[in-house]
Amino acid sequence: SFVANLIKPWTSLLVASRITTTSDGTSSLHNLPMSIRDRLRLDHEAITSVSGDFGHLVKVAPTGVFYPTSANDIASLVKFSNTLPVPFCIAARGRGHSIRGQAMAQDGVVVEMRALGEGGGDCGERRVSVSYKRGENECGFLDVGGETLWIDVLKGCLEEGVAPLSWTDYLYLSVGGTLSNGGISGQAFRYGPQISNVHELDVVTGRGELVTCSRNFNSELFFAVLGGLGQFGIITRARIVVQPAPKRVKWVRMLYDDFAVFTRDQEHLVSAHGDKKGVITGLNYIEGSLIMSHSPPNNWRSSFFSSSDVSRITSLAVPNGIIYCLEVVKYYDESNYSIDKELEELLEELNYLPGFRFTKDTRFEEFLNRVRKGELELEAKGLWEVPHPWLNLFIPGSRISEFNSEVFASIIGDQSKATGPFLLYPMLRNKWDDRMSAVIPEEDIFYTIGLLHSSGFDDWEEFEKQNIAILRFCEEKGIKAKQYLPHYTSKDEWRKHFGSKWERFWTRKARFDPKMILSPGQRIFNQAKMAEN
């Protein structure tokens, strides 16, 4: 079982990061075509910069780091690897926000995507081009480089008065990175994940071909890449849906002490507002979280509550010591003078604890970039670049009560070191396209669970053991959970993860990356090679 081996493989890799000279294809890097040879760095500084990730759980060194100036550079690199008797593996790296080495390439080449022009989000040229036809309810689109961070997408779009519909909670992630996984946040119940809002892609396949694809043109590649964990191609451009951007938001949090009431209200809201049109009508964002004795009301995701609010919240006597927080947002423009009345009508049927509804009024962009403030505060204290033994799951709606009772109230509740934040909110299956590679539960309503732990460098394994206990519980009880940002250690586990999609996933791999060059850190198709290394 994969749960019994969750820690072991990564512990061994921690001491396997030293580069050794081999006789396989990686030594042929010195024979790269002249047109791209100066894009490759083999020095210690470059290698070190891409040997870790946000998770800080694993350190894996590539042989080289490639700094492309165009998509054609990437295509040339992949094509060159294909010509070798033993091709070297290649991983695209955006912000390096993976948890368990998914964007690494042991003894291979890491493509530093930000070299395409992004510069890390705070400097450099943005590859963001907006095309929007003014008019009521008219959708437009933006073309954006795969290396671009979502914060720069937001900045570029707001200059034109528009914005994408679906976001992630944290904006300092690359477009290519989130589209390779799914891209989820509180808007997904209504607009779908980010992968459901893509018109077109430019992709460098595992064969080294630069291909433009969409739902109607080279569609097999299009659907394969979206949610495809980097297995079929490297996204160099995405065309994404945009609509007029609102100016402000009403941001509301409501507290519950009864899990059944909390989830009933959540499901009522996502069902009632999931099919609303445009961006102004109905609610635009719905999430949920847990407040526990060792997970305070305010955390790095947002400092929403005032100090007096925190005192009131922490003084609540609740069953199991857990407070459930329902979080909603409604977009509006300053010309809408009836916004408060509209909000009351939207929330009037909810059954939260009387006196425990809290509202903020803020700018649209400030809400979307809410996590950045917490990041900077932790960074200043040296608490951001620490291990993050996260676990993200999709749980069928019919089993969420059972999951709460055993996982939140028991497994996590008994762990006094658990830090959170802990996220829990519903999504609608009909907002996802089953032709894409992303995997979700079969039920119409399912919940996303985010256990976003931070730890010290000497105790992260304790949180991994907790993750193992949670996964084992799901396995033993037959809860058909799906990992988001998945990590497994054998092909059998991956086969179980993809379920009915496995044969199609395998066929697509054989078609678009037959030599299994791309994204080795996912450990889907190349476990034998990784073990050999």
Side-chain angles (χ1 to χ4, degrees), residues 394-442:
F394 292 145
I395 301 293
S398 65
R399 307 299 297 273
I400 195 62
S401 179
E402 188 178 355
F403 186 91
N404 171 70
S405 298
E406 180 63 26
V407 173
F408 290 125
S410 181
I411 296 176
I412 292 179
D414 293 343
Q415 169 62 273
S416 60
K417 293 178 65 175
T419 56
F422 306 123
L423 306 182
L424 183 153
Y425 56 94
M427 293 188 183
L428 301 175
R429 182 176 176 82
N430 64 10
K431 299 297 180 178
W432 296 66
D433 191 325
D434 200 49
R435 293 171 293 180
M436 296 175 183
S437 294
V439 178
I440 58 176
E442 295 293 333

Side-chain angles (χ1 to χ4, degrees), residues 306-348:
S306 68
S307 56
S308 59
D309 291 338
V310 170
S311 297
R312 290 182 59 218
I313 294 169
T314 55
S315 66
L316 278 172
V318 294
N320 299 317
I322 301 176
I323 300 170
Y324 303 97
C325 177
L326 172 54
E327 179 178 27
V328 303
V329 166
K330 178 171 174 54
Y331 301 160
Y332 77 101
D333 288 323
E334 290 157 335
S335 59
N336 182 0
Y337 300 111
S338 62
I339 178 62
D340 291 325
K341 179 182 177 182
E342 291 177 21
L343 189 62
E344 287 298 327
E345 292 174 351
L346 293 171
L347 305 180
E348 63 182 357

Side-chain angles (χ1 to χ4, degrees), residues 17 29 34 59 86 111 116 158 197 217 221-222 226 228 245-246 307 335 340 342 434 448 460 466 473 483 486 512 517:
S17 61
L29 286 175
M34 288 296 296
K59 206 168 189 62
V86 181
V111 178
L116 287 173
L158 290 181
N197 290 271
F217 183 69
L221 178 62
F222 179 79
L226 292 170
S307 56
S335 59
D340 291 325
E342 291 177 21
D434 200 49
T448 182
W460 62 269
Q466 183 184 96
F473 163 74
Q483 287 191 40
F512 298 117
I517 289 171

